[in-house]
Amino acid sequence: MPKVPSTSGRPALRRNQACLSCRKRKLKCDAARPHCGTCVKQWQALISVPPPVGYAHPTEPQCSYDPVEGLPIAPDVDPSERIRLLEEQISQLKSQLQEQRGFHSRSSSPSRLYSHNGLSSTSASGMSPPGHTPDDSPTGGAHTIPQSAYDLMRQMRGPADSPESQLRGLSGSPELRQPGNSLGDPLMEILYSGWDPDLPTPDLLNHYIDIFFRCDPCGSRVLHRPSFLASMQLHPKDPNFPHAAVLHAICASASRWASHDLITSPDGTRRDRFAELHVSKTRTYIDRTMATGVDIFPVMQACILLSWYFYQEGRWVEVWIFAGFQTRVAVPLRLNYPGTYSAHGANAPGAFLAPPSDSRDRELRRRTWWMTIMFDRIVSVGGWLHGVEEKDIGTELPLRGIDFDEDATIESNPQDLAKPDIFVKHLPQYTDSFLLFLKAVMLFGRVTDYNTRTYLRAKVPPSPKDNPFVRRAFEELDRLVCVEFLDNFPHGFRHLGVGDDGSLDTDLYMAHIVPHAATITLHNTFINFSDSSSISTRRCLHATREILNAYSRLSATSLDIARLHPFVTICWYLAAVVQIQLCKYFIEINDTEREATVWGEINMLRFAMLMFGSRSPIGVRQEKMLQGLMTEIVRMTSQMQPLEVGVPLYPFSRERIFAQSQERTGAPLPGTTQSFTDAASASSPMHPGPAPGAPLTMTQLPSSMPAPAYNAWGIRNVSESPPAYSVADMHTRPVAMSSHTYPGGH
């Protein structure tokens, strides 16, 4: 049967004349050079869409032709002979590379090598092409450079004297090049040094590591800083060089204080492209280790660093998944045994770790275990079951940080969770701020366990009219959490950790307020303002007052609250929950004066969350959750602008303090109609706002209602210690209290 004649005026192509891409996909091809029309159209459609994070579009259409037009490629030698020749060439190249690598390890460090050649972070930490994963290297230390990365480096070099030839770092500023030095071949330099091309250059990476240890209050506890910094001076192929997964996780964590590569999606979510790249690389190592068990301990350390990063970002689903993963991985490693090792069952499948090699190795394992348990307790404060029960933890508490850093020859900490006096007895030679913070978190974990197990099978939820003290377990836990733990702090740790010299002990600050957050969690269900003898009401109000006092003490300084541990936002949230219930009570009994005072304190806590959220999105997310609880009292109140009460006004600001948060997190609450500009103009010059860095004050009360000298419970001001409290001065009109809403999306 004759073929149907072509309707187009284009002449038919001869056999094998079309490009290789069109022939492979069986598409029409016009055989245009250098790129056919079909490939050009597909490439234009590809680059019209922004590339995914971690990848780059090709610089030109992927269109190629046979070497000789119209003729196919035919081998001119026997295939087996060709394979033999290629194997010989590979063997020769390996020998040459080994010789060059030995020469460079003797002559210069990777840092000097990169500095000499003028490479910046863009060439080393730039986007990797698709398919390039840590699995390409069995050792996890060195990677081969894909051709696309090599082409990208060559393209970015440009003329030697042009601005484009100065490769830009993550900050956007051109890197300085030493005169007289040529760029050389970046591919060969990276191969010779054995440096992971997915990491920043050594100098820039050392900068991120320094920021990480100085600023990060979470994951840095897992690593031994002196030995870690010393190992960074080793050759990248050295077995003692830090694992690439840990370095990627450090880059992701440090990006919060160092990276400016931020993008904002239409829904207001912020993402750091640099951090996301290194998060992706860390996850690839974790996935490989889950499948093979290779390098399980350093990869677990990287997993802990990544988990704390997710927590500070408020990425709850990933937080819960990683919390469960870490605890399950740590158990077969025998980290929950005394000394982090058990000879019993050491040969059983799953016993991956050998005995600790020395005291430092043992302490590293202890800290890795306790940071895993601390993470598990913190993310479970909303009533989630813990991954490991307290009775299954036999590991001793870690040593003091100073003894750990200095490799002091000191016996292991004699305290563990089996000791009945662990929360009231703090041995001086085994006590520092971090250990007190760890004990406070474990105490919070006991509160979570009690709430979860007590009401798991309850037919009806607890009521504010119930008396929880009829349970002996509740009475003992209340005494331990609310009284004994803080009363037995060593004398040198009774302050908040806020120094007059501008220093801030984050761990000690948290050790003081976490027990108050645990008190609120334990008693919040039983708050009853209509009962003047309610101990639970007294406990919650006192705990809220202490959290407010601690924040007021901090806000009176110039210290950056974003340097606090991210768990502080949960403590602020719990205090705000109590304040919202109290505000509702004052609205219903028509006590407008004390209602206005409580509004100022609620907004003070909202302001704290948003200030923290400027660097860690968890603060913004917690403030958004608080908005949902405030909707009812905003609708009920008679205050003209309740959400403006107590908000500090800054003369240089051009919008309200909460406007940015509402734009990012959704629609504003009812009643938020006045702009910050209007409020600022109304307050100046008669009532100017405080200077930047000044403590929060309630300057925005209605003019007819001067700011009272006492707070809602008869306490003179937030800087004084609360006196013995009685709810008898509150009106006895009952009010229906809302059930407790837990933080963090729980």
Side-chain angles (χ1 to χ4, degrees):
M1 181 177 179
K3 295 182 179 180
V4 179
S6 176
T7 57
S8 62
R10 184 178 58 194
L13 300 178
R14 297 194 304 272
R15 182 178 178 80
N16 292 336
Q17 192 176 8
C19 74
L20 298 178
S21 178
C22 290
R23 277 157 47 192
K24 181 179 180 180
R25 292 180 291 176
K26 294 181 172 54
L27 300 176
K28 291 184 178 180
C29 182
D30 57 9
R33 301 300 178 100
H35 308 297
C36 73
T38 302
C39 291
V40 169
K41 290 180 181 179
Q42 292 182 348
W43 176 72
Q44 290 174 344
L46 177 65
I47 64 175
S48 64
V49 180
V53 175
Y55 301 96
H57 288 319
T59 57
E60 61 182 13
Q62 304 297 303
C63 183
S64 59
Y65 293 88
D66 290 332
V68 179
E69 184 175 354
L71 295 177
I73 298 177
D76 54 355
V77 295
D78 183 68
S80 60
E81 179 67 15
R82 180 65 175 168
I83 292 174
R84 186 186 65 80
L85 293 175
L86 290 175
E87 290 178 346
E88 290 180 357
Q89 293 179 8
I90 292 173
S91 178
Q92 294 175 2
L93 290 174
K94 285 183 176 180
S95 300
Q96 295 176 5
L97 182 59
Q98 188 66 27
E99 293 175 1
Q100 292 287 347
R101 184 178 296 143
F103 170 76
H104 280 279
S105 64
R106 294 189 301 269
S107 61
S108 63
S109 66
S111 300
R112 291 195 297 269
L113 179 66
Y114 272 73
S115 177
H116 173 76
N117 288 281
L119 285 176
S120 73
S121 62
T122 307
S123 62
S125 65
M127 306 306 182
S128 308
H132 183 63
T133 68
D135 295 285
D136 299 333
S137 172
T139 62
H143 293 239
T144 57
I145 309 297
Q147 183 64 33
S148 59
Y150 180 49
D151 294 339
L152 180 61
M153 286 187 250
R154 295 187 59 185
Q155 178 184 358
M156 296 179 67
R157 287 169 61 183
D161 56 348
S162 66
E164 290 77 13
S165 65
Q166 302 177 1
L167 302 183
R168 293 183 177 271
L170 293 174
S171 63
S173 59
E175 300 287 339
L176 298 178
R177 296 182 58 182
Q178 300 178 0
N181 291 342
S182 61
L183 186 63
D185 191 336
L187 172 62
M188 297 309 297
E189 298 291 3
I190 295 176
L191 285 176
Y192 289 157
S193 69
W195 190 259
D196 184 349
D198 295 324
L199 290 171
T201 59
D203 289 338
L204 186 57
L205 179 58
N206 287 330
H207 175 64
Y208 282 123
I209 292 173
D210 178 65
I211 291 175
F212 170 75
F213 279 111
R214 285 191 294 108
C215 300
D216 188 89
C218 304
S220 58
R221 314 298 187 192
V222 177
L223 305 174
H224 183 249
R225 180 176 182 176
S227 62
F228 188 88
L229 297 179
S231 64
M232 285 299 300
Q233 304 303 317
L234 301 174
H235 192 274
K237 296 296 292 181
D238 192 289
N240 295 321
F241 189 78
H243 196 281
V246 175
L247 297 177
H248 284 298
I250 287 177
C251 289
S253 298
S255 66
R256 180 168 293 102
W257 295 275
S259 178
H260 302 283
D261 196 15
L262 295 172
I263 56 176
T264 304
S265 59
D267 63 352
T269 305
R270 297 176 302 170
R271 285 298 175 96
D272 186 334
R273 290 182 292 184
F274 173 80
E276 289 299 321
L277 169 65
H278 292 284
V279 166
S280 174
K281 298 300 178 182
T282 308
R283 276 181 150 172
T284 305
Y285 281 104
I286 295 172
D287 292 341
R288 186 190 66 174
T289 299
M290 289 175 61
T292 64
V294 177
D295 302 326
I296 190 168
F297 185 71
V299 172
M300 182 181 177
Q301 289 181 312
C303 183
I304 292 174
L305 303 186
L306 192 61
S307 299
W308 285 111
Y309 169 80
F310 288 145
Y311 185 77
Q312 297 189 73
E313 293 289 307
R315 293 160 64 166
W316 301 120
V317 174
E318 291 160 306
V319 163
W320 294 325
I321 291 174
F322 271 69
F325 169 73
Q326 289 170 196
T327 53
R328 300 317 302 164
V329 169
V331 170
L333 297 185
R334 302 295 197 268
L335 297 182
N336 61 317
Y337 280 80
T340 67
Y341 179 77
S342 173
H344 175 69
N347 297 324
F352 289 100
L353 294 183
S357 57
D358 51 27
S359 59
R360 180 195 299 171
D361 186 23
R362 183 182 297 107
E363 187 64 18
L364 276 172
R365 296 187 185 186
R366 282 199 193 102
R367 288 181 168 259
T368 299
W369 167 257
W370 281 112
M371 287 305 296
T372 298
I373 296 302
M374 177 184 284
F375 185 76
D376 176 60
R377 263 52 184 176
I378 284 179
V379 303
S380 302
V381 297
W384 295 88
L385 296 175
H386 294 143
V388 178
E389 293 188 27
E390 188 174 302
K391 63 182 180 181
D392 297 326
I393 301 176
T395 313
E396 312 89 350
L397 293 181
L399 300 176
R400 296 184 304 175
I402 186 172
D403 295 329
F404 176 52
D405 290 339
E406 296 178 355
D407 285 329
T409 56
I410 185 173
E411 294 295 329
S412 298
N413 195 325
Q415 287 193 318
D416 58 48
L417 293 179
K419 299 292 189 297
D421 59 352
I422 184 174
F423 294 111
V424 296
K425 186 176 181 180
H426 310 292
L427 304 177
Q429 65 272 33
Y430 295 101
T431 299
D432 63 3
S433 302
F434 173 70
L435 284 162
L436 290 174
F437 178 34
L438 175 59
K439 290 182 178 182
V441 172
M442 296 307 297
L443 196 58
F444 204 140
R446 287 195 176 183
V447 173
T448 304
D449 285 336
Y450 176 84
N451 288 340
T452 303
R453 293 167 180 168
T454 302
Y455 308 116
L456 178 64
R457 294 181 174 87
K459 297 181 179 179
V460 294
S463 168
K465 297 181 179 180
D466 296 340
N467 180 16
F469 287 91
V470 297
R471 299 175 182 267
R472 182 177 179 182
F474 184 94
E475 183 179 1
E476 293 176 351
L477 188 59
D478 166 78
R479 183 170 60 253
L480 180 62
V481 173
C482 305
V483 181
E484 294 179 349
F485 178 67
L486 287 174
D487 285 353
N488 286 279
F489 263 33
H491 181 73
F493 297 93
R494 292 182 179 272
H495 60 92
L496 276 174
V498 182
D500 296 331
D501 57 350
S503 61
L504 174 62
D505 189 338
T506 298
D507 290 333
L508 186 56
Y509 187 91
M510 296 299 300
H512 276 275
I513 70 172
V514 167
H516 298 301
T519 297
I520 295 174
T521 303
L522 181 64
H523 286 277
N524 183 78
T525 307
F526 306 102
I527 291 180
N528 186 359
F529 292 113
S530 63
D531 183 3
S532 60
S533 61
S534 172
I535 299 178
S536 292
T537 305
R538 186 184 310 126
R539 295 286 199 218
C540 288
L541 295 178
H542 173 75
T544 300
R545 175 54 43 197
E546 289 300 313
I547 294 175
L548 285 166
N549 286 344
Y551 176 71
S552 297
R553 174 71 179 89
L554 184 61
S555 64
T557 68
S558 58
L559 296 172
D560 182 10
I561 68 171
R563 295 282 293 275
L564 291 172
H565 194 283
F567 190 43
V568 72
T569 60
I570 308 300
C571 299
W572 291 335
Y573 176 91
L574 291 170
V577 168
V578 176
Q579 293 291 82
I580 290 173
Q581 297 180 65
L582 182 64
C583 184
K584 180 180 179 181
Y585 175 77
F586 285 143
I587 291 173
E588 295 203 359
I589 66 175
N590 198 28
D591 191 337
T592 57
E593 182 177 357
R594 288 194 286 185
E595 177 201 343
T597 305
V598 176
W599 271 115
E601 292 169 341
I602 292 174
N603 290 329
M604 178 191 297
L605 295 171
R606 294 178 61 212
F607 176 77
M609 294 178 194
L610 292 177
M611 289 292 291
F612 193 92
S614 64
R615 185 166 292 155
S616 296
I618 184 177
V620 177
R621 292 179 182 272
Q622 290 304 121
E623 196 274 337
K624 181 181 178 181
M625 289 187 60
L626 202 62
Q627 290 184 14
L629 296 180
M630 294 173 62
T631 304
E632 182 179 7
I633 61 173
V634 169
R635 185 172 58 250
M636 294 171 57
T637 184
S638 60
Q639 299 289 326
M640 295 300 296
Q641 295 292 337
L643 299 180
E644 302 293 340
V645 175
V647 176
L649 299 181
Y650 297 93
F652 54 82
S653 300
R654 284 180 280 181
E655 57 184 0
R656 283 181 309 143
I657 191 65
F658 296 116
Q660 187 179 11
S661 168
Q662 291 166 354
E663 292 173 359
R664 289 196 301 262
T665 59
L669 289 171
T672 57
T673 57
Q674 182 183 16
S675 67
F676 183 80
T677 305
D678 298 338
S681 61
S683 64
S684 176
M686 296 299 294
H687 301 284
L696 298 177
T697 56
M698 288 176 285
T699 58
Q700 293 303 108
L701 295 175
S703 57
S704 60
M705 186 186 302
Y710 54 87
N711 60 37
W713 311 293
I715 302 174
R716 295 295 299 175
N717 54 58
V718 295
S719 62
E720 297 179 357
S721 300
Y725 172 75
S726 172
V727 265
D729 61 332
M730 289 190 177
H731 298 273
T732 58
R733 177 181 173 184
V735 57
M737 305 308 301
S738 60
S739 60
H740 178 57
T741 303
Y742 289 104
H746 293 36

